[in-house]
Amino acid sequence: MAEVLVAKNIKKSFAVGEVVAEVLKGVDISLNEGEFVAIVGESGSGKSTLLYILAGIDSPTEGIVTLLGKDIAGADKAMLAQMRRRDFSFVYQFDNLVPNLTVYENITLPLMLDKRKPAEFADSVKEIVEYLGLSDRLKSYPRQLSGGEQQRVAIARALATSPKIIFLDEPTGSLDKERGRQVMELLKDINARRGVALVMVTHSPAHAKYASRIVRMEDGMIADIGEGSL
Ligand SMILES: Nc1ncnc2c1ncn2[C@@H]1O[C@H](COP(=O)(O)OP(=O)(O)O)[C@@H](O)[C@H]1O
Ligand SMILES: [Mg+2]
């Protein structure tokens, strides 16, 4: 199977005052096309830092990340920005929807920034919106939505560009149990039906089980790799 992401010997240090904290201590991780990987581990173990580096949002102190065949450590900003708009998406724990844009405008924002024409994407966005149960919310503003709905909008926006990979940092972290379960069912379905590879950081062992592979981080390293239920 083709690998869409390969990271080798990833190290990351932050200078905190006079001390240098080594937060990632040599992580190797890869992702196959259409795979669903969950990253778990205690708070502070380096999960978010790793996810940001894999998605090119942050750069490693050492190591190489190859995303869809491209070395992203050496990539220039413009190319990375274009990849972020076309090839992969990111969903944050606390959604960063734009408050003064409607739901529809938020979902299509990455497409508009990529200068795509509404006529080109209208059908596929409509399908995604229906699929996520957001059809009657398109004219609402983020503040008028529940937390679960806002997270569905963030996922719709991530899907709108038809990415090959979606990175998610605790996508259920701010949701109650039932809404969290619904989001997980949705992610499982997106992975199965659309073949989008997912890399998801989660605190929840139950949610990690939705993945095909579970990577457990401990103190900046991968402590073990297990199988999910997929
Ligand atoms: N920008 C930063 N500057 C300094 N320390 C950081 C920074 N980002 C993360 N850290 C530290 O790195 C460690 C791992 O953080 P993080 O990757 O957010 O962990 P997790 O997502 O597993 O909870 C923590 O000790 C955190 O304080
Ligand atoms: Mg985190």
Side-chain angles (χ1 to χ4, degrees), residues 4-5 29-39 51 54 89 91 155 158-159 163-168 171 183-192 194-201 210-213 230:
V4 287
L5 174 65
I29 189 169
S30 62
L31 180 74
N32 287 324
E33 208 173 347
E35 199 184 5
F36 184 175
V37 172
I39 300 174
L51 199 69
L54 296 179
S89 309
V91 175
I155 292 170
L159 273 174
K164 294 194 179 62
I165 310 174
I166 303 179
F167 297 94
L168 308 105
V183 165
M184 288 314 304
E185 289 293 336
L186 184 68
L187 290 174
K188 188 171 115 182
D189 199 64
I190 286 167
N191 173 253
R194 295 175 169 259
V196 184
L198 303 176
V199 186
M200 175 187 74
V201 165
Y210 280 84
S212 45
R213 188 153 51 105
L230 245 190

Side-chain angles (χ1 to χ4, degrees), residues 14 16 23 42-50:
F14 292 109
V16 185
V23 169
E42 285 183 12
S43 181
S45 58
K47 304 180 299 293
S48 296
T49 304
L50 177 62

Side-chain angles (χ1 to χ4, degrees), residues 8 13 27 34 36 46 50 54-55 84 95 98 109 119 135 190 219:
K8 288 217 162 83
S13 301
V27 173
F36 184 175
L50 177 62
L54 296 179
R84 209 171 285 145
D95 59 83
V98 183
L109 187 61
S135 301
I190 286 167
D219 195 22

